[in-house]
Amino acid sequence: MSRKLLKMWILQRPAHWLLLIALCVLTCAGYWLLWSEIRLEHAFKPLSKLTAGGRALAQSLVPDARRSSPDDFDLEEQLVVLYNRVPKTGSTSFVNIAYDLCKPNKFHVLHINVTANMHVLSLPNQIQFVRNVSRWHVMKPALYHGHMAFLDFSKFQIAHKPIYVNLVRKPLDRLVSYYYFLRFGDNYRPNLVRKKAGNKITFDECVVQKQADCDPKNMWLQIPFFCGHAAECWEPGSAWALDQAKRNLVNEYFLVGVTEQMYEFVDLLERSLPRIFHGFREHYQNSNKSHLRVTSSKLPPSDSTIKTIQKTKIWQMENDLYEFALAQFEFNKKKLMQPDNKHVQKFMYEKIRPK
């Protein structure tokens, strides 16, 4: 009965019914447009009206031309040289020139002192050291030095890496020097009692008796110093470590000299990086700092001892690295001069287009 009444009401008043439907449609459309406008307002809200946190985020995303421009980085005043010095390679003589000239040349010298003379930094110390060297701007320009293995700064998201330099020495000469140094000390600190003081066994006798102090494994030091902080670097006889040391020497070091040519090493550094090394040549020649830390008593090894050591794998690999470094150093010296060997090499820019 009710359905029939409803049908009759609709048929009798069609205009009212259509008006009701139109009103509903308009109401829904109005709500939809209002919601869309609110969403668009939020979507296009200007950066100037963001909250403080949002404003900071927006600024970090917009490139700052002054901050990001490489031209703003002062290559001279931000210069950092890292000398991860190998023990018994003449490093004390070189470093003392730096200490003498750091004040007139207006740069800082900092010694890296690691607990118990360890050559490898822990992971927390690695990242802290890298950040210190990179951000300690009041110390720049700077020369850092210490008995520490090569550390790759690119692993730590550092944009400007330090310039690495180093010296290498003939491996048997270095081992013999260290052997007698532990027993007799040197003229640098003559009153300091060394760890093996009183032990008068010669290096030759040590080799014959196959004692631990002259074990060829003790020569395994220059390779890991250039190889770095990987565990394999410190495995005596590792072919991978030798290859990595060579790669780093060529790709990561600005200059590697040899102890036997210290003056030539200093000369190349002064010509290349005068901001720090200005005056090093003259000081090396004319001061008393050119031959510091001479071992007080040292006997050269016999021919039979030399032959015995040279048969070992460790010596052969360490000598391989030394010869590799020497060849690279000689190459750098040669390219300093023009083919006539009388004039220093120069370069210029020409044929610049468009004019």
Side-chain angles (χ1 to χ4, degrees):
M1 184 68 179
S2 60
R3 289 182 180 180
K4 289 181 179 181
L5 289 174
L6 179 62
K7 187 175 181 181
M8 289 174 61
W9 184 82
I10 292 175
L11 291 175
Q12 290 175 359
R13 294 178 176 82
H16 293 82
W17 180 249
L18 291 174
L19 182 62
L20 180 61
I21 294 175
L23 183 62
C24 292
V25 171
L26 288 174
T27 303
C28 293
Y31 277 111
W32 182 83
L33 287 173
L34 180 61
W35 176 245
S36 299
E37 184 178 351
I38 293 172
R39 293 179 64 187
L40 286 171
E41 181 184 359
H42 284 285
F44 294 104
K45 193 172 184 178
L47 288 176
S48 60
K49 295 184 178 179
L50 289 172
T51 60
R55 191 159 49 241
L57 176 60
Q59 291 174 354
S60 70
L61 295 176
V62 177
D64 185 338
R66 293 175 301 170
R67 184 178 58 199
S68 61
S69 173
D71 293 336
D72 290 333
F73 186 79
D74 192 330
L75 295 172
E76 295 295 328
E77 297 309 310
Q78 294 293 313
L79 178 62
V80 175
V81 176
L82 209 166
Y83 175 29
N84 63 317
R85 45 195 282 201
V86 180
K88 306 307 295 179
T89 57
S91 60
T92 301
S93 298
F94 177 78
V95 165
N96 271 272
I97 301 175
Y99 277 112
D100 285 351
L101 296 182
C102 64
K103 190 171 183 179
N105 284 2
K106 297 181 180 179
F107 70 92
H108 290 89
V109 186
L110 301 93
H111 178 229
I112 309 161
N113 189 354
V114 186
T115 306
N117 293 321
M118 298 175 69
H119 303 318
V120 174
L121 295 177
S122 66
L123 281 177
N125 282 336
Q126 286 181 38
I127 198 162
Q128 184 176 355
F129 171 71
V130 167
R131 290 174 177 175
N132 285 160
V133 171
S134 303
R135 297 177 179 175
W136 203 356
H137 298 298
V138 295
M139 287 292 133
K140 297 176 182 178
L143 170 66
Y144 289 81
H145 67 95
H147 296 312
M148 186 183 77
F150 168 76
L151 184 60
D152 184 5
F153 276 58
S154 63
K155 293 167 58 176
F156 303 93
Q157 297 182 321
I158 300 300
H160 301 283
K161 300 193 294 184
I163 293 178
Y164 269 97
V165 300
N166 215 328
L167 284 162
V168 293
R169 187 178 182 181
K170 293 179 180 179
L172 181 55
D173 289 354
R174 197 196 66 78
L175 178 61
V176 172
S177 178
Y178 187 65
Y179 178 87
Y180 285 108
F181 168 75
L182 291 179
R183 285 155 176 77
F184 301 103
D186 54 32
N187 61 348
Y188 188 65
R189 289 189 287 180
N191 298 322
L192 183 63
V193 178
R194 300 294 171 177
K195 184 167 60 174
K196 294 287 183 175
N199 185 327
K200 298 183 178 180
I201 297 176
T202 67
F203 187 81
D204 289 336
E205 293 169 342
C206 180
V207 171
V208 171
Q209 298 173 19
K210 298 182 178 180
Q211 294 188 8
D213 286 352
C214 54
D215 190 323
K217 289 183 178 180
N218 295 328
M219 282 187 290
W220 189 260
L221 194 64
Q222 296 186 133
I223 287 176
F225 258 63
F226 283 89
C227 178
H229 278 60
E232 186 67 18
C233 294
W234 299 88
E235 289 296 326
S238 168
W240 180 89
L242 174 58
D243 291 341
Q244 184 65 31
K246 288 181 176 180
R247 280 192 294 270
N248 287 341
L249 190 149
V250 172
N251 297 324
E252 304 293 344
Y253 281 80
F254 175 73
L255 181 65
V256 177
V258 294
T259 304
E260 298 78 19
Q261 299 186 47
M262 178 73 80
Y263 175 79
E264 290 80 359
F265 175 69
V266 169
D267 178 53
L268 277 174
L269 284 176
E270 181 168 350
R271 291 175 185 271
S272 306
L273 300 169
R275 177 60 187 86
I276 285 181
F277 298 106
H278 174 70
F280 270 50
R281 283 191 305 261
E282 181 182 356
H283 200 76
Y284 178 79
Q285 285 184 312
N286 300 324
S287 72
N288 60 350
K289 300 294 179 70
S290 60
H291 293 90
L292 289 174
R293 204 152 228 174
V294 177
T295 304
S296 299
S297 178
K298 181 169 61 178
L299 298 175
S302 65
D303 291 341
S304 61
T305 296
I306 294 174
K307 290 179 180 178
T308 299
I309 296 294
Q310 290 181 347
K311 290 178 182 178
T312 64
K313 180 182 178 182
I314 301 297
W315 178 86
Q316 292 169 5
M317 297 181 74
E318 280 279 340
N319 192 64
D320 188 353
L321 179 66
Y322 171 82
E323 294 292 342
F324 182 83
L326 177 61
Q328 184 68 19
F329 183 64
E330 294 289 354
F331 179 82
N332 286 326
K333 285 199 309 175
K334 183 178 179 180
K335 294 304 176 183
L336 178 67
M337 308 300 291
Q338 295 183 25
D340 61 10
N341 220 25
K342 296 179 181 179
H343 301 90
V344 176
Q345 182 196 94
K346 297 180 180 179
F347 78 94
M348 66 190 73
Y349 301 105
E350 59 183 12
K351 299 179 181 180
I352 302 172
R353 298 294 185 274
K355 291 184 178 180

